Amino acid sequence: MSLVHEFENSGNWLFRRRSWFPVLFAIPGFIILWFTDPLIIRFDLKEEVIFLAVSLAGQAIRVLTVGFAPGNTSGRNTADGQIADEINTTGIYSLVRHPLYIGNFFMWLGPVLFLRSWWFTLTFFLVYWIYYERIMFAEEQYLRRKFGDLYDRWAEKTNAVLPSFRHFKAPSLTFSFRTVLRREYNSFINIFVIFTALDFVRNCSITGKAQITPFWLYLLAGAAILWFTVRTIHKTSSLLTVPGR
């Protein structure tokens, strides 16, 4: 098998299992946290607000991507495979070709920084790049075959992961807050779940007691209320459904 086909096949395989990627770091992260010097991982409000802000910045990137994207486009791939009725080339997609994966990177970087381990952070950088490079390659192969020169012309002037504002185009659609709520409520709550889990493990390691720092407990409670509200609306009505989105 040629390298092109090998990269594409492995990228499609990894794409279908991308939801497992955080587990690659969550489990060893908990173990590392348990054995780290308590003085290094002690609660520091300023630091942990920064870590949370990094994750929320990633969520914001996803919001800007999803909120302007039409239905069945290059940003709407599923576990069964690629979906693309058209190419997203405006808005954030005129700055960078893979904004969702950039958003995911920062969302997961926040909890990684929580461990205060430079070598674990470096490992995350390397594994994330290797893992998602294959996925991006597979997606681009699919888009090139489907859209041909149209895709090549866009890709030629749009960087893969480093945003460039030289060819910015305003979004072709208006921002849909309802679409964002429908598609992003799970990723939003996951941010607070993982931070709270890390805090819980840290406190157990340091004090030997099962407790959660009030800062993280209150944030998780607020996020959980929002999650439950949005999920209930989504599952019981069509209020969050926007035609064509």
Side-chain angles (χ1 to χ4, degrees):
M1 180 183 295
S2 67
L3 282 177
V4 170
H5 292 114
E6 182 180 339
F7 274 40
E8 184 175 6
N9 289 340
S10 62
N12 285 323
W13 187 88
L14 291 171
F15 175 82
R16 290 190 292 271
R17 293 159 179 82
R18 69 196 185 284
S19 60
W20 288 97
F21 179 82
V23 179
L24 295 176
F25 289 92
I27 295 177
F30 291 141
I31 296 174
I32 293 170
L33 196 61
W34 184 270
F35 292 103
T36 300
D37 184 345
L39 293 178
I40 297 177
I41 60 173
R42 68 187 187 282
F43 177 75
D44 184 298
L45 179 60
K46 181 179 179 180
E47 289 183 353
E48 294 182 26
V49 166
I50 293 175
F51 302 155
L52 177 60
V54 170
S55 289
L56 292 178
Q59 179 68 79
I61 293 172
R62 288 189 58 91
V63 166
L64 289 174
T65 304
V66 171
F68 289 107
N72 292 336
T73 63
S74 54
R76 298 296 303 276
N77 300 320
T78 69
D80 296 326
Q82 312 292 343
I83 294 177
D85 290 343
E86 61 182 281
I87 306 175
N88 287 327
T89 61
T90 64
I92 197 168
Y93 280 98
S94 66
L95 308 179
V96 65
R97 299 202 303 268
H98 299 281
L100 288 176
Y101 297 146
I102 296 175
N104 289 347
F105 172 79
F106 285 105
M107 285 177 64
W108 298 336
L109 177 61
V112 169
L113 294 174
F114 188 98
L115 274 64
R116 283 84 161 176
S117 170
W118 68 267
W119 67 265
F120 190 76
T121 302
L122 179 60
T123 301
F124 168 75
F125 271 81
L126 295 176
V127 174
Y128 188 92
W129 173 252
I130 294 173
Y131 192 99
Y132 274 93
E133 181 186 39
R134 294 294 180 95
I135 293 178
M136 289 187 289
F137 180 86
E139 288 186 359
E140 295 202 357
Q141 285 292 94
Y142 167 79
L143 293 172
R144 287 186 71 250
R145 282 195 296 266
K146 183 163 186 177
F147 299 103
D149 290 341
L150 179 64
Y151 175 80
D152 286 335
R153 289 196 299 271
W154 169 67
E156 185 177 354
K157 63 181 180 181
T158 309
N159 294 339
V161 295
L162 296 177
S164 172
F165 290 83
R166 290 182 301 169
H167 304 288
F168 175 74
K169 292 183 180 180
S172 59
L173 297 175
T174 58
F175 184 81
S176 174
F177 186 64
R178 287 188 292 166
T179 299
V180 169
L181 290 178
R182 187 181 77 250
R183 291 186 54 193
E184 293 299 308
Y185 68 94
N186 280 327
S187 64
F188 179 75
I189 186 66
N190 286 341
I191 292 174
F192 297 92
V193 169
I194 187 62
F195 273 114
T196 304
L198 289 169
D199 176 71
F200 177 80
V201 172
R202 170 182 58 190
N203 291 339
C204 288
S205 173
I206 294 176
T207 68
K209 299 179 181 180
Q211 61 185 29
I212 299 174
T213 304
F215 173 77
W216 290 113
L217 181 61
Y218 296 151
L219 287 178
L220 177 63
I225 292 172
L226 178 61
W227 175 85
F228 180 78
T229 301
V230 175
R231 187 177 189 278
T232 300
I233 294 173
H234 175 47
K235 297 297 183 179
T236 60
S237 73
S238 59
L239 183 62
L240 300 182
T241 301
V242 181
R245 306 293 282 271

PDB file of all heavy atoms in Angstrom, residues 184-196:
ATOM      1  N   GLU A 184     -22.963  22.238  20.581  1.00  0.00           N
ATOM      2  CA  GLU A 184     -21.797  22.416  21.444  1.00  0.00           C
ATOM      3  C   GLU A 184     -22.071  22.251  22.937  1.00  0.00           C
ATOM      4  O   GLU A 184     -21.147  22.404  23.733  1.00  0.00           O
ATOM      5  CB  GLU A 184     -21.194  23.801  21.197  1.00  0.00           C
ATOM      6  CG  GLU A 184     -20.583  23.961  19.808  1.00  0.00           C
ATOM      7  CD  GLU A 184     -19.443  22.996  19.564  1.00  0.00           C
ATOM      8  OE1 GLU A 184     -18.519  22.931  20.396  1.00  0.00           O
ATOM      9  OE2 GLU A 184     -19.491  22.282  18.545  1.00  0.00           O
ATOM     10  N   TYR A 185     -23.288  21.920  23.316  1.00  0.00           N
ATOM     11  CA  TYR A 185     -23.551  21.859  24.764  1.00  0.00           C
ATOM     12  C   TYR A 185     -22.779  20.724  25.437  1.00  0.00           C
ATOM     13  O   TYR A 185     -22.392  20.840  26.606  1.00  0.00           O
ATOM     14  CB  TYR A 185     -25.051  21.767  25.053  1.00  0.00           C
ATOM     15  CG  TYR A 185     -25.740  20.487  24.648  1.00  0.00           C
ATOM     16  CD1 TYR A 185     -25.904  19.450  25.555  1.00  0.00           C
ATOM     17  CD2 TYR A 185     -26.270  20.330  23.374  1.00  0.00           C
ATOM     18  CE1 TYR A 185     -26.566  18.289  25.200  1.00  0.00           C
ATOM     19  CE2 TYR A 185     -26.926  19.172  23.005  1.00  0.00           C
ATOM     20  CZ  TYR A 185     -27.069  18.150  23.924  1.00  0.00           C
ATOM     21  OH  TYR A 185     -27.722  16.995  23.558  1.00  0.00           O
ATOM     22  N   ASN A 186     -22.519  19.636  24.725  1.00  0.00           N
ATOM     23  CA  ASN A 186     -21.758  18.536  25.316  1.00  0.00           C
ATOM     24  C   ASN A 186     -20.286  18.897  25.487  1.00  0.00           C
ATOM     25  O   ASN A 186     -19.684  18.610  26.534  1.00  0.00           O
ATOM     26  CB  ASN A 186     -21.883  17.283  24.454  1.00  0.00           C
ATOM     27  CG  ASN A 186     -23.191  16.553  24.690  1.00  0.00           C
ATOM     28  OD1 ASN A 186     -23.721  16.548  25.800  1.00  0.00           O
ATOM     29  ND2 ASN A 186     -23.724  15.934  23.645  1.00  0.00           N
ATOM     30  N   SER A 187     -19.693  19.516  24.471  1.00  0.00           N
ATOM     31  CA  SER A 187     -18.279  19.885  24.585  1.00  0.00           C
ATOM     32  C   SER A 187     -18.079  20.932  25.679  1.00  0.00           C
ATOM     33  O   SER A 187     -17.044  20.942  26.361  1.00  0.00           O
ATOM     34  CB  SER A 187     -17.747  20.396  23.245  1.00  0.00           C
ATOM     35  OG  SER A 187     -18.394  21.585  22.848  1.00  0.00           O
ATOM     36  N   PHE A 188     -19.067  21.803  25.869  1.00  0.00           N
ATOM     37  CA  PHE A 188     -18.963  22.831  26.908  1.00  0.00           C
ATOM     38  C   PHE A 188     -18.940  22.207  28.302  1.00  0.00           C
ATOM     39  O   PHE A 188     -18.064  22.527  29.114  1.00  0.00           O
ATOM     40  CB  PHE A 188     -20.131  23.807  26.786  1.00  0.00           C
ATOM     41  CG  PHE A 188     -20.137  24.882  27.825  1.00  0.00           C
ATOM     42  CD1 PHE A 188     -19.254  25.935  27.756  1.00  0.00           C
ATOM     43  CD2 PHE A 188     -21.043  24.838  28.885  1.00  0.00           C
ATOM     44  CE1 PHE A 188     -19.251  26.943  28.727  1.00  0.00           C
ATOM     45  CE2 PHE A 188     -21.050  25.830  29.857  1.00  0.00           C
ATOM     46  CZ  PHE A 188     -20.150  26.880  29.780  1.00  0.00           C
ATOM     47  N   ILE A 189     -19.859  21.298  28.580  1.00  0.00           N
ATOM     48  CA  ILE A 189     -19.900  20.689  29.911  1.00  0.00           C
ATOM     49  C   ILE A 189     -18.664  19.834  30.143  1.00  0.00           C
ATOM     50  O   ILE A 189     -18.163  19.729  31.269  1.00  0.00           O
ATOM     51  CB  ILE A 189     -21.182  19.855  30.099  1.00  0.00           C
ATOM     52  CG1 ILE A 189     -21.296  19.346  31.549  1.00  0.00           C
ATOM     53  CG2 ILE A 189     -21.218  18.680  29.144  1.00  0.00           C
ATOM     54  CD1 ILE A 189     -21.494  20.423  32.574  1.00  0.00           C
ATOM     55  N   ASN A 190     -18.122  19.229  29.070  1.00  0.00           N
ATOM     56  CA  ASN A 190     -16.954  18.372  29.225  1.00  0.00           C
ATOM     57  C   ASN A 190     -15.747  19.137  29.771  1.00  0.00           C
ATOM     58  O   ASN A 190     -14.916  18.562  30.492  1.00  0.00           O
ATOM     59  CB  ASN A 190     -16.592  17.726  27.884  1.00  0.00           C
ATOM     60  CG  ASN A 190     -17.549  16.621  27.501  1.00  0.00           C
ATOM     61  OD1 ASN A 190     -18.267  16.083  28.342  1.00  0.00           O
ATOM     62  ND2 ASN A 190     -17.579  16.276  26.225  1.00  0.00           N
ATOM     63  N   ILE A 191     -15.639  20.414  29.426  1.00  0.00           N
ATOM     64  CA  ILE A 191     -14.542  21.226  29.948  1.00  0.00           C
ATOM     65  C   ILE A 191     -14.569  21.245  31.467  1.00  0.00           C
ATOM     66  O   ILE A 191     -13.555  21.017  32.142  1.00  0.00           O
ATOM     67  CB  ILE A 191     -14.619  22.668  29.400  1.00  0.00           C
ATOM     68  CG1 ILE A 191     -14.345  22.689  27.902  1.00  0.00           C
ATOM     69  CG2 ILE A 191     -13.630  23.581  30.134  1.00  0.00           C
ATOM     70  CD1 ILE A 191     -14.539  24.054  27.267  1.00  0.00           C
ATOM     71  N   PHE A 192     -15.722  21.485  32.026  1.00  0.00           N
ATOM     72  CA  PHE A 192     -15.842  21.611  33.475  1.00  0.00           C
ATOM     73  C   PHE A 192     -15.794  20.251  34.176  1.00  0.00           C
ATOM     74  O   PHE A 192     -15.317  20.148  35.310  1.00  0.00           O
ATOM     75  CB  PHE A 192     -17.130  22.355  33.820  1.00  0.00           C
ATOM     76  CG  PHE A 192     -17.142  23.763  33.305  1.00  0.00           C
ATOM     77  CD1 PHE A 192     -17.685  24.062  32.062  1.00  0.00           C
ATOM     78  CD2 PHE A 192     -16.561  24.791  34.034  1.00  0.00           C
ATOM     79  CE1 PHE A 192     -17.675  25.352  31.567  1.00  0.00           C
ATOM     80  CE2 PHE A 192     -16.537  26.086  33.550  1.00  0.00           C
ATOM     81  CZ  PHE A 192     -17.089  26.365  32.308  1.00  0.00           C
ATOM     82  N   VAL A 193     -16.247  19.219  33.496  1.00  0.00           N
ATOM     83  CA  VAL A 193     -16.171  17.868  34.061  1.00  0.00           C
ATOM     84  C   VAL A 193     -14.720  17.447  34.231  1.00  0.00           C
ATOM     85  O   VAL A 193     -14.327  16.945  35.297  1.00  0.00           O
ATOM     86  CB  VAL A 193     -16.931  16.858  33.180  1.00  0.00           C
ATOM     87  CG1 VAL A 193     -16.611  15.427  33.623  1.00  0.00           C
ATOM     88  CG2 VAL A 193     -18.428  17.096  33.262  1.00  0.00           C
ATOM     89  N   ILE A 194     -13.891  17.644  33.204  1.00  0.00           N
ATOM     90  CA  ILE A 194     -12.505  17.207  33.282  1.00  0.00           C
ATOM     91  C   ILE A 194     -11.710  18.031  34.290  1.00  0.00           C
ATOM     92  O   ILE A 194     -10.903  17.492  35.054  1.00  0.00           O
ATOM     93  CB  ILE A 194     -11.823  17.232  31.895  1.00  0.00           C
ATOM     94  CG1 ILE A 194     -10.428  16.617  31.983  1.00  0.00           C
ATOM     95  CG2 ILE A 194     -11.741  18.643  31.341  1.00  0.00           C
ATOM     96  CD1 ILE A 194     -10.405  15.174  32.409  1.00  0.00           C
ATOM     97  N   PHE A 195     -11.940  19.344  34.344  1.00  0.00           N
ATOM     98  CA  PHE A 195     -11.238  20.158  35.333  1.00  0.00           C
ATOM     99  C   PHE A 195     -11.640  19.755  36.754  1.00  0.00           C
ATOM    100  O   PHE A 195     -10.798  19.678  37.653  1.00  0.00           O
ATOM    101  CB  PHE A 195     -11.525  21.642  35.118  1.00  0.00           C
ATOM    102  CG  PHE A 195     -10.594  22.315  34.143  1.00  0.00           C
ATOM    103  CD1 PHE A 195     -11.061  22.806  32.937  1.00  0.00           C
ATOM    104  CD2 PHE A 195      -9.242  22.457  34.432  1.00  0.00           C
ATOM    105  CE1 PHE A 195     -10.213  23.431  32.034  1.00  0.00           C
ATOM    106  CE2 PHE A 195      -8.378  23.075  33.541  1.00  0.00           C
ATOM    107  CZ  PHE A 195      -8.864  23.561  32.334  1.00  0.00           C
ATOM    108  N   THR A 196     -12.918  19.506  36.956  1.00  0.00           N
ATOM    109  CA  THR A 196     -13.381  19.101  38.284  1.00  0.00           C
ATOM    110  C   THR A 196     -12.826  17.740  38.668  1.00  0.00           C
ATOM    111  O   THR A 196     -12.454  17.508  39.826  1.00  0.00           O
ATOM    112  CB  THR A 196     -14.919  19.071  38.324  1.00  0.00           C
ATOM    113  OG1 THR A 196     -15.435  20.350  37.946  1.00  0.00           O
ATOM    114  CG2 THR A 196     -15.421  18.738  39.725  1.00  0.00           C
TER     115      THR A 196
END
